[in-house]
Amino acid sequence: MELTGADILIESLKKEGVDLIFGYPGGAVLHIYDALYQQEDITHILVRHEQAATHAADGYARSTGRPGVVLVTSGPGATNAVTGIATAYMDSVPMIVITGQVPSSLIGNDAFQEVDCVGITRPCVKHNFLVKDVKEIANTIKKAFYIATTGRPGPVVVDIPKDITALKAEFSYPETISMRSYTPIEPVEPSAIEKSVELLLSAKRPMIYSGGGVVLDGAWDELIEITQLLNYPITNTLMGLGAYPADDKQCLGMLGMHGTYEANLGMHNCDVLFAVGARFDDRVTGNVEKFCPTAKIVHIDVDPTSISKNVKVDIPLIGRVSTVLKAMLEVLKKKKQKPDQDALAEWWNQINEWRSMDCLKYDRDADIIKPQYVLEELHKITHGEAYVTSDVGQHQMWAAQFYRFQKPRRWINSGGLGTMGFGLPAAMGVQLAHPDETVCCVTGEGSIQMCIQELATIRQYSLPIKVINLNNGVLGMVRQWQEFFYQGRYAMSYMESLPDFVMLAESYGHCGIKVTKKSDVVDALTEAMKIRDKAIFLDFITDSKENVYPMIPAGGGQNEMILI
Amino acid sequence: MRHIISILIENEAGALSRVAGLFSARGYNIESLTVAPTNDSSLSRMTIVTSGTDEIIVQINKQLNKLIDVVRLSDMTEGEHIERDMMLIKIKVDDSAEREEVKRLADIFRGQIIDVTDELYTIELTGSGDKLDAFLKSLGEVDILEVVRSGTIGISRGEAALQLLSTS
């Protein structure tokens, strides 16, 4: 039977197991919306701005491991989505973004709501397509999902002109796909596995540095097993938090610019570094000239371009983290050789000495609400197992430091691109994917206003998201840099005319509570957990002078931290 | 160091801009870039001349391979290879002495005069980039109206060939 292009698109999405789409209608996608209207398998979530559609799909993808799907119209619909696409690209999140395009005959004519979507998105997608023939829709969708979800995942944009969605063609969905130009994974050399295990076992001061690749690949069981088998210290990147439980004694917390003293000094002094699904980002390495000066490096990554891009590695292992770790575990278990236990004991002593610095200390006796205190209490109430999204800035770093994630895929934040406005829409995607779980959006009064309109979407779908607004009245991370490096010239880092967030939340039909006293923090959080039919907006008035410590200043090595 | 990277790429709209965009986005040099379909019309062969440190060249190769449209690539400069550039050049030749001299130079460089008017010669010359540069230099004071160069193309010597891997 012949179907219209719009129906073929919807049927193709169903074949891919899509249950949710985030989107916003417009002229170029009206045929697609009409097709959506006439079926019941796929639920469409109507956001209030296309940027939010991409962030929501992103939250859905990060928390489930399945690709998020977005549908937006041509022109401004597509350009509004670009920030979210770039966010997903930087953090390697699988996402399919379907954009409407003006009819084929008008492309290139500066038609109403026309933009060169394939051109604009090219640098921030894993791949993109312009569909020029209705017969190509099914095959293109199959390719899009294949590309988005294999190898190093990423967003794929499919731009479909309006006339193509109205034309008819026979529908048959390909069962499998292979592309001569795309081979996502090649097998790892067994000899490299052997060599890497030998290097790991020879370590006297080992360090495991694991990143977002572990979470993306669902490889946390293998990571935990190898870490515990070796009894080596482990630090997680911002993107890797939760892959190894933060409360375990082997976990040194996060590393990098705002990493812990013990993690950064462990990195700086180690003799063998085992990088697992991490990409030596500049926020992790600090000054690369001073990075891990005495270490031999083993690096697992699915993307060959990540190998020796920033830091030269000694043994690259290109492949899926789970596959490589399994192969290493197999070799490791057969080996008679054990790590040098005396050296390891000495190394742990050294690490525990660094740990005793208690680098995350803050003034617990202060009368004013300290943001760290709110997050510690949130951890206690939710046992470190809630889904926590965040925006970007100080609150993001405090959440990373103080929430202490016990499970993977719970920490949803824009690490690579650093997109303010990410947290609230991302929380929608997470909550829709996990209706019965606790979802918190840790944010600040600056970030939250970048996608605040989504409170309407949250009301429409009755999502019980807990907004934890750490309201210090300033753009905290900007203010912190201005205090440290610009002699306190606070250019544009404060905000006048903040809204009354309680009234704002209530006007959208949510519950709002302003918390000004430290003694009310726990009660407010407890109350928030009880609400199940709408969001609660907790507006915590926190210390505007609090800074994030430790901090490695720009150009510094990992041993050059500013401590409180 | 100078490298010649040859790429087999899907012959699709936008494929060229993916490659060009990669070079500009990551700040890599392009000295020349040529592209045209091969005997298999679904594939284009692209030749890029670039330069950089060894680390950068390795990254360029890896980043190009990562592009979904790139089917295969090879760094010609890693092995023995032949490279060619083509130049079309239009020269003003007013008097007979000048005409003689230019004709003689073209012959020495194995160029061909492919168009003639009362006042102009158009010459076609093929060779390595160095040879074309040398020809331009040898022309001295002659009035050059136009120079068109194809950019470098290259092919490896001997058995090695950049082609689709058999999928059997």
Side-chain angles (χ1 to χ4, degrees), chain A residues 316-362:
Chain A
L317 300 168
I318 298 166
R320 286 182 63 161
V321 174
S322 54
T323 314
V324 176
L325 282 181
K326 275 196 190 95
M328 290 179 75
L329 275 162
E330 207 173 297
V331 172
L332 191 59
K333 284 174 186 168
K334 284 190 196 137
K335 287 258 176 209
K336 294 210 172 60
Q337 189 190 349
K338 293 275 171 276
D340 180 341
Q341 294 302 319
D342 293 341
L344 192 56
E346 199 178 316
W347 179 231
W348 271 115
N349 282 340
Q350 174 64 68
I351 287 169
N352 287 327
E353 195 184 312
W354 291 327
R355 209 179 228 165
S356 67
M357 286 283 293
D358 189 15
C359 67
L360 296 180
K361 61 178 174 271
Y362 64 93

Side-chain angles (χ1 to χ4, degrees), chain A residues 407-435:
Chain A
K407 290 185 173 177
R409 292 200 176 130
R410 299 299 198 274
W411 169 231
I412 315 285
N413 83 127
S414 168
L417 196 67
T419 308
M420 290 170 73
F422 174 82
L424 190 64
M428 306 190 313
V430 177
Q431 187 79 75
L432 283 157
H434 309 275

Side-chain angles (χ1 to χ4, degrees), chain A residues 442-465:
Chain A
V442 174
T443 184
E445 81 295 331
S447 286
I448 191 71
Q449 292 189 78
M450 285 210 188
C451 271
I452 192 82
Q453 76 287 344
E454 294 310 314
L455 286 173
T457 310
I458 292 167
R459 179 63 274 191
Q460 183 172 344
Y461 299 98
S462 304
L463 305 177
I465 293 164

